[in-house]
Amino acid sequence: MKKFLFTLLLVLSINSVFAQDLKSLKLEAQRVFIASSEPNFDVIFETTYPKIFEIASKEEMKQVFLEILDNDEFSIKLITTDPNFEFGDIVKINNQKFCIVKHDNHMRLTFKTKIESPETLTTIFKSNMNAEEVTYNDALKSFDIKIRSTLVAVSDDLTNNKWKFVNLGSDDQLLNKIFSEDVILKLDL
């Protein structure tokens, strides 16, 4: 009987740890989603996995973001939307924990010059960004683009066991610099 009670308590305590982990992961995912939509660079960088900053400094990254969001050709504004979060399983690999987090994004890309072929751009956005929906507004010279974004949440010694995020794009070279081959294979990145 004592062995059964000990085993039951052990299982319950393990479930409690994972529940707390998932709870903190959900809170941080919501935090990074809101920060990205504002954009609040302090919170974005605070919730970014630190290994990213070995590749580019925070100041360099901020300059790139600002240039992408508003330049001579176009501007991008994130539209408030329900993220519809989807959390994968929390996976432990070596001394790290990972979780794949998916969420909806909605952005408006407004051109500052005349657009010659909105149909071609619509096709490009759908294919290159894996956009679920792209609509063009001729009066505003803008595209509303809805995509499903993917984040890799990481908790390890480097993050003081707090959840930090890497936004998955199409840059496999970046992933290879941040994560080991073992992690990339096990997470199917």
Side-chain angles (χ1 to χ4, degrees), residues 33 68 74-81 103-111 115 118 120-137 141-149:
F33 179 79
I68 289 170
F74 60 83
S75 65
I76 297 174
K77 181 179 186 322
L78 291 172
I79 308 297
T80 303
T81 189
H103 66 86
D104 291 340
N105 258 336
H106 182 183
M107 67 183 79
R108 179 165 295 139
L109 190 149
T110 304
F111 280 85
I115 300 170
T120 301
L121 286 174
T122 298
T123 302
I124 290 170
F125 293 146
K126 283 184 176 180
S127 122
N128 290 356
M129 299 172 75
N130 293 323
E132 296 174 351
E133 184 181 326
V134 178
T135 55
Y136 177 67
N137 181 321
K141 294 188 285 190
S142 69
F143 290 88
D144 275 17
I145 304 169
K146 295 181 181 179
I147 61 172
R148 188 89 175 137
S149 296

Side-chain angles (χ1 to χ4, degrees), residues 24-25 27-36 40-53 58 61 65 151-155 159 162-167:
S24 65
L25 174 58
L27 288 171
E28 284 302 295
Q30 182 68 34
R31 188 169 170 240
V32 75
F33 179 79
I34 291 169
S36 295
N40 180 331
F41 292 107
D42 291 335
V43 175
I44 291 170
F45 295 148
E46 184 183 313
T47 57
T48 297
Y49 188 56
K51 273 197 166 185
I52 294 282
F53 304 119
K58 292 177 184 178
M61 287 180 65
F65 285 142
L151 303 170
V152 177
V154 185
S155 172
T159 69
K162 306 275 189 228
W163 289 106
K164 304 295 178 183
F165 300 90
V166 174
N167 194 349

Side-chain angles (χ1 to χ4, degrees), residues 10-39:
L10 182 63
V11 167
L12 290 175
S13 68
I14 289 171
N15 281 340
S16 174
V17 168
F18 279 113
Q20 287 297 328
D21 242 11
L22 185 57
K23 182 179 178 182
S24 65
L25 174 58
K26 287 180 177 181
L27 288 171
E28 284 302 295
Q30 182 68 34
R31 188 169 170 240
V32 75
F33 179 79
I34 291 169
S36 295
S37 65
E38 291 178 348

